[in-house]
Amino acid sequence: MTTFATDYLAGRRFLVTGASSGIGRATAALLAECGAGITASGRDEERLAAAVAQLPGQGHLTRPQAFDKADEAAAWMKTLIDEHGAFDGVFHAAGVELVRPVRLTKQAQLDEVFGGAVFAAAGLARAAAQKGALKDGGSLVFMSSVAGSAGQSGMSAYSAAKAAVDGMVRSLACEFAPRHIRVNAIAAGAVRTPMHDRLTKGAADDTVDTYRNHHLLGFGEPQDIANAAAFLLGPAGRWITGTTWVVDGGYLCK
């Protein structure tokens, strides 16, 4: 059962990155349940195909792609637009996690974290800004994190990347406003995804319990973020732009 009407996004097409698992997959499924056509992207071609095969509706596309460079992301999206026409919106969920003390953080790790979260987002925005790429009144939504606002040991690179996303959407919102295209980010708390499982794997039970308890409502589910994304991507979010929407189960207020 979906929170939104099954025709909430009927006739619209969205690009969803990171759609093979976790938040990206849940969001692609919800948008499709609302009547949208999905162009889904992810690194793992097999997992991506399996995810898209389960989407309701017709006309969904799989376009595997690794996201780590702005120029490559922009060129890739331009190719999609040339082949299939303008999008109504983009949800960029692709990215990697990193927990590493700054004394051990090398340029390679910085490039990887910033590549998916910041550089690829900038490239997708650049492509979306071209004439005929994104329909007037459309929406761009980028995944951020509470790590961009709250400090945590071992998260300096990841936190910096997410803070950069938050800053970027504010200026992008100004650039896209003349066409009534909205640009926002979602700052998520801890959500039960494969990425979350990797981060907590091997941690002591009391450590995980403490982390969970810091979220007033406990850990979230991918659907919680998908609901926020669908709201922002669709007509319900028509007057929201330049903001980072916190969806964190109360993490930042504790």
Side-chain angles (χ1 to χ4, degrees):
M1 179 179 176
T2 179
T3 304
F4 301 90
T6 55
D7 62 351
Y8 172 59
L9 299 172
R12 305 186 186 210
R13 174 161 290 277
F14 296 94
L15 171 61
V16 179
T17 73
S20 60
S21 67
I23 290 170
R25 182 169 185 166
T27 300
L30 178 56
L31 299 181
E33 289 172 11
C34 293
I38 305 299
T39 298
S41 180
R43 291 176 181 266
D44 190 311
E45 188 169 356
E46 186 175 342
R47 284 196 306 165
L48 183 64
V52 172
Q54 295 179 359
L55 296 179
Q58 304 294 324
H60 307 304
L61 304 173
T62 59
R63 292 295 184 269
Q65 176 71 14
F67 292 95
D68 54 8
K69 294 181 177 63
D71 289 350
E72 291 180 2
W76 173 80
M77 184 172 168
K78 183 179 183 303
T79 298
L80 294 181
I81 294 161
D82 290 343
E83 292 176 352
H84 304 288
F87 288 104
D88 292 279
V90 177
F91 180 64
H92 179 50
V96 298
E97 76 278 12
L98 180 69
V99 179
R100 181 179 287 258
V102 69
R103 62 186 174 83
L104 299 176
T105 302
K106 305 289 182 65
Q107 184 67 50
Q109 283 90 40
L110 291 169
D111 289 344
E112 186 175 23
V113 173
F114 274 77
V118 184
F119 303 155
L124 293 173
R126 189 174 84 197
Q130 305 304 312
K131 185 177 180 180
L134 201 65
K135 295 177 183 177
D136 290 358
S139 177
L140 296 166
V141 178
F142 301 112
M143 277 307 303
S144 183
S145 168
V146 293
S149 300
Q152 187 173 336
S153 181
M155 299 285 282
S156 58
Y158 187 77
S159 294
K162 295 306 184 179
V165 171
D166 296 343
M168 181 169 59
V169 299
R170 291 191 286 271
S171 290
L172 287 176
C174 297
E175 291 192 33
F176 280 87
R179 294 173 54 197
H180 292 274
I181 292 172
R182 296 160 286 117
V183 187
N184 296 286
I186 297 175
V191 177
R192 291 188 180 95
T193 64
M195 181 183 292
H196 173 79
D197 293 342
R198 289 192 296 270
L199 290 172
T200 56
K201 184 179 181 180
D205 290 344
D206 59 344
T207 299
V208 176
D209 288 342
T210 299
Y211 186 36
R212 181 189 299 109
N213 291 337
H214 201 91
H215 296 73
L216 298 181
L217 302 180
F219 292 148
E221 300 294 338
Q223 190 69 26
D224 297 318
I225 308 302
N227 285 334
F231 187 97
L232 290 172
L233 287 166
R238 62 172 295 277
W239 208 53
I240 302 173
T241 195
T243 188
T244 296
W245 226 13
V246 177
V247 186
D248 69 347
Y251 180 88
L252 286 181
C253 71
K254 188 169 182 179

